[in-house]
Amino acid sequence: MQIIKTLACWLIFVVPGTIVAQSGYLQQGAKENVLLDRMEIKAQKDTVLNFSFLKPYNRRWLVSSLERIASDSQQVRLTPIDKYDIDHALGNNLEWVSGDATPYTSHKGLFHTFWNSPADMVVVNQKDFFLSINPVLQVQLRKESGNSEFLFLNSKGFVARGLIARRIGFQTYLTDNQERGPLYFQERVARYRAVPGAGFYKLFKSTGVDYFDARGSLSFNIVKGLDLHFGYDKMFLGNGYRSLFLSDYANPYLFIDLNLHVWRLNYTARTMELTSQYSRGATDRNFPKKYMSIHHISFNAPKWLTLGLFEAVVFDRTDHIEFGYLNPVMFLRPMEQQVGSGDNALVGFDVKANLAKRFQVYSQVNFDEFSLKELRAGKGWWANKYGLQIGGKYIDAFGMKNLDLQAEVNMVRPFTYSHNDTIANYTHYNQPLAHPLMSNLREFIGIARWRPAPKWWVQGKMIAWTRGSDTAGHNFGNNIFLNSDTRTADYGYRFGMAVPVKGVNLEGWLSYEWMENFFLEASILVRKETGGKTTTMPSLGLRWNMHRREYDY
């Protein structure tokens, strides 16, 4: 998207003269995210932590909040493992530690060069320059019942971030990956010609895939409270396990966004360049593009309650960019009407409440198209397209320290996220941008996390779902890649029609942090889906400075 690239270049070279400081962002799946959840609920009224729905999370915000909480640990009721996690989180974000960072760097390194800090292979922390470089590694070996082949994941690469003169920040991440996932993963790759979470890929040993995961971004703090972020990465909007607004399931994308955080308000405006639906070919070519703009504003009123408003529009122009959608301070739906377009616009609301320093309840409601008159008529009008999420978290459950429970229900009506063409649907690189099961679904998620000791992580997870299947060549609203005008009727649509497919995914996971950010892991996954046999899949693996690869769909 040329306008994004041009604007970003201007900002990168012109704006820094007025910049006072910048910030980096946590990686996808960072272990600090679990700590963030706990500290937000325990603090209850922290107007920085209460905006943790925006991921990747701002490292500067993280450190400032953790330092504040650590200084008042009695009021926040920290457990010994909380204190351990806070100390290690500060050691993983040295550039923003306000006091003496010596306790985190006085480590007997290798050749006085490597691992002078337990968290970093190479770290330079000087007055006007910070640099962190680390290896990235993930190796998994799985055995799937009913499958004669061993499953594997082999990811290796590096991650780096830096801060120059407290004005310009950068981060980059690159992994080379070879993967043979379970049979249902292979079926998904073959059907949609896309690897979940990745972009371009090559076949590897006939049933595996080979792909890069490359990301990078620049970030600035233009004035106090106003951040600019430009790069190629993912974003997750929400407090739940799933997001009905924007998830990190799909491939990274080019983006530029502004984030304003003042008083009890947080406002984000992001414009993205996406890849339209396409068919894989044998020759190199430019993939078709489309664009998306999103706005999200949230407000702490009172401090323990966060209310949010979301809007998005997906659009495509063959000869120009729609400049009206780049306006960060105007509603997108009225702009869509003003330009006379048939673009795909969505609006949504979210709410989160932290209660009694033990509980959090949250919800998202997403409207693609909606008619109250048709809803009252109760005839199942196809264009009443919406999604609903309701969830809750309970930390230190039943008085047991560091036992955290989460329950979540997601419901998405048929045809939600689809459009009357195959371009402006809510997708990127042949993958959905919100829920991985797309639409026409009901889902229940239950998660239990326990930390018996600082270095041990135990988790159990259950995901049960019912989705409607588009069968016999008919469109019943599950596959959002299909043109919504190919539906069989205008009325009679219910959750899970026409042929309901039910499934359950049970997983137990045990992890030991052998050294900082290096995990030795074992898990077992049991999956059952209508019409298929029960799949049992044990695994062993190790993971270093990388999010855990999941098959939770």
Side-chain angles (χ1 to χ4, degrees):
M1 181 178 179
Q2 190 59 43
I3 185 64
I4 292 182
K5 298 169 185 174
T6 302
L7 178 61
C9 289
W10 182 84
L11 289 168
I12 289 169
F13 292 108
V14 177
V15 171
T18 63
I19 290 172
V20 295
Q22 71 82 45
S23 181
Y25 297 82
L26 293 176
Q27 288 177 236
Q28 180 185 2
K31 67 177 184 179
E32 290 92 340
N33 287 333
V34 176
L35 178 64
L36 273 172
D37 272 356
R38 290 177 55 82
M39 294 304 99
E40 178 188 351
I41 296 171
K42 289 192 173 190
Q44 187 170 328
K45 298 180 181 181
D46 190 302
T47 55
V48 176
L49 290 178
N50 285 352
F51 298 121
S52 64
F53 65 90
L54 184 65
K55 298 177 182 68
Y57 196 72
N58 187 304
R59 291 179 185 268
R60 187 179 74 236
W61 295 1
L62 171 72
V63 170
S64 65
S65 294
L66 293 184
E67 289 182 332
R68 185 166 56 251
I69 288 171
S71 67
D72 194 12
S73 58
Q74 293 300 317
Q75 181 177 348
V76 183
R77 298 184 298 186
L78 298 178
T79 69
I81 292 179
D82 288 335
K83 295 177 182 178
Y84 174 91
D85 287 346
I86 288 175
D87 185 62
H88 282 248
L90 295 176
N92 276 275
N93 297 275
L94 288 174
E95 63 268 47
W96 295 114
V97 173
S98 60
D100 182 13
T102 303
Y104 307 110
T105 55
S106 57
H107 184 260
K108 187 177 180 180
L110 182 64
F111 306 125
H112 302 288
T113 302
F114 302 104
W115 282 286
N116 291 324
S117 161
D120 299 289
M121 182 184 76
V122 175
V123 61
V124 180
N125 191 15
Q126 299 180 351
K127 178 182 177 181
D128 292 323
F129 181 66
F130 176 86
L131 176 67
S132 166
I133 303 175
N134 280 296
V136 169
L137 179 68
Q138 185 166 192
V139 177
Q140 285 186 9
L141 184 63
R142 298 174 181 260
K143 187 65 177 77
E144 182 180 22
S145 59
N147 187 350
S148 60
E149 296 183 305
F150 275 96
L151 310 182
F152 58 83
L153 172 66
N154 174 24
S155 299
K156 60 278 186 190
F158 75 97
V159 59
R161 71 181 193 274
L163 176 63
I164 303 171
R166 301 188 70 83
R167 290 173 178 257
I168 301 175
F170 64 87
Q171 52 194 49
T172 184
Y173 171 95
L174 174 67
T175 59
D176 175 44
N177 310 273
Q178 292 78 42
E179 179 177 16
R180 179 187 291 139
L183 291 175
Y184 65 91
F185 167 90
Q186 297 176 29
E187 292 167 359
R188 180 169 284 226
V189 172
R191 180 179 181 185
Y192 298 107
R193 298 297 182 181
V195 176
F200 180 81
Y201 70 94
K202 298 181 291 184
L203 293 178
F204 181 76
K205 294 186 176 180
S206 69
T207 55
V209 289
D210 186 338
Y211 58 92
F212 286 108
D213 185 356
R215 315 182 194 189
S217 63
L218 294 166
S219 52
F220 312 96
N221 180 245
I222 302 173
V223 294
K224 185 177 181 180
L226 182 61
D227 291 312
L228 169 72
H229 194 193
F230 169 71
Y232 188 83
D233 209 328
K234 303 183 184 185
M235 185 183 198
F236 185 97
L237 278 176
N239 301 288
Y241 187 77
R242 306 289 196 197
S243 174
L244 303 185
F245 293 169
L246 182 64
S247 76
D248 54 14
Y249 172 78
N251 185 54
Y253 40 76
L254 183 71
F255 70 88
I256 186 169
D257 68 25
L258 291 171
N259 190 88
L260 175 66
H261 182 194
V262 292
W263 186 51
R264 300 183 189 177
L265 286 169
N266 193 87
Y267 176 68
T268 295
R270 170 171 287 211
T271 299
M272 300 125 73
E273 181 182 71
L274 307 176
T275 298
S276 298
Q277 188 172 342
Y278 71 94
S279 299
R280 284 172 59 89
T283 59
D284 292 336
R285 59 192 173 89
N286 290 328
F287 292 134
K289 302 298 182 184
K290 61 182 179 183
Y291 310 102
M292 178 171 160
S293 289
I294 63 172
H295 297 161
H296 184 277
I297 187 169
S298 53
F299 176 47
N300 280 155
K303 290 183 179 180
W304 54 268
L305 179 67
T306 306
L307 305 175
L309 173 65
F310 168 81
E311 61 174 352
V313 61
V314 183
F315 60 99
D316 170 66
R317 301 290 185 272
T318 57
D319 56 351
H320 68 286
I321 182 70
E322 196 63 71
F323 286 93
Y325 292 144
L326 302 182
N327 188 336
V329 291
M330 181 174 178
F331 288 107
L332 294 172
R333 179 60 173 167
M335 176 56 67
E336 183 209 16
Q337 294 174 333
Q338 291 298 320
V339 300
S341 77
D343 298 323
N344 190 9
L346 299 90
V347 296
F349 307 91
D350 59 277
V351 59
K352 174 178 63 180
N354 295 318
L355 306 171
K357 299 186 178 182
R358 284 289 183 89
F359 302 93
Q360 181 183 100
V361 292
Y362 59 89
S363 180
Q364 286 184 338
V365 183
N366 186 20
F367 296 97
D368 193 343
E369 295 182 52
F370 184 77
S371 168
L372 183 59
K373 177 182 176 182
E374 293 287 359
L375 182 65
R376 288 175 174 172
K379 297 180 180 180
W381 188 45
W382 77 276
N384 266 340
K385 305 188 292 184
Y386 59 87
L388 172 65
Q389 178 186 88
I390 300 175
K393 301 172 184 177
Y394 179 20
I395 65 171
D396 296 330
F398 311 113
M400 189 171 177
K401 293 180 180 180
N402 295 94
L403 173 63
D404 301 339
L405 305 179
Q406 181 176 0
E408 179 175 305
V409 174
N410 296 295
M411 298 182 290
V412 183
R413 280 269 301 168
F415 299 103
T416 306
Y417 306 119
S418 66
H419 200 52
N420 59 7
D421 60 38
T422 57
I423 297 177
N425 48 38
Y426 209 66
T427 66
H428 165 54
Y429 228 112
N430 289 5
Q431 301 165 71
L433 282 167
H435 200 291
L437 298 181
M438 296 190 278
S439 61
N440 194 8
L441 67 94
R442 285 192 179 102
E443 179 185 50
F444 171 78
I445 301 173
I447 302 173
R449 299 184 184 93
W450 181 41
R451 298 283 300 284
K455 289 181 175 292
W456 287 93
W457 304 68
V458 183
Q459 178 177 286
K461 178 171 60 180
M462 180 185 75
I463 302 177
W465 72 90
T466 300
R467 62 176 176 85
S469 178
D470 299 318
T471 60
H474 296 294
N475 183 2
F476 292 103
N478 170 243
N479 187 349
I480 63 177
F481 293 97
L482 298 178
N483 187 325
S484 59
D485 287 345
T486 62
R487 62 189 181 275
T488 58
D490 288 340
Y491 292 92
Y493 293 96
R494 302 288 186 269
F495 287 104
M497 70 167 301
V499 179
V501 177
K502 297 183 179 182
V504 63
N505 189 317
L506 303 172
E507 184 179 31
W509 169 56
L510 175 66
S511 182
Y512 175 73
E513 191 173 11
W514 179 53
M515 61 182 188
E516 193 69 27
N517 300 318
F518 190 106
F519 296 88
L520 305 175
E521 300 179 325
S523 70
I524 184 166
L525 186 148
V526 180
R527 186 179 188 273
K528 172 68 174 178
E529 186 172 310
T530 302
K533 61 183 179 180
T534 300
T535 296
T536 303
M537 190 167 58
S539 77
L540 293 172
L542 57 87
R543 178 169 54 92
W544 199 5
N545 296 312
M546 183 178 176
H547 61 279
R548 186 169 182 268
R549 185 61 155 151
E550 301 277 6
Y551 302 100
D552 53 358
Y553 36 81

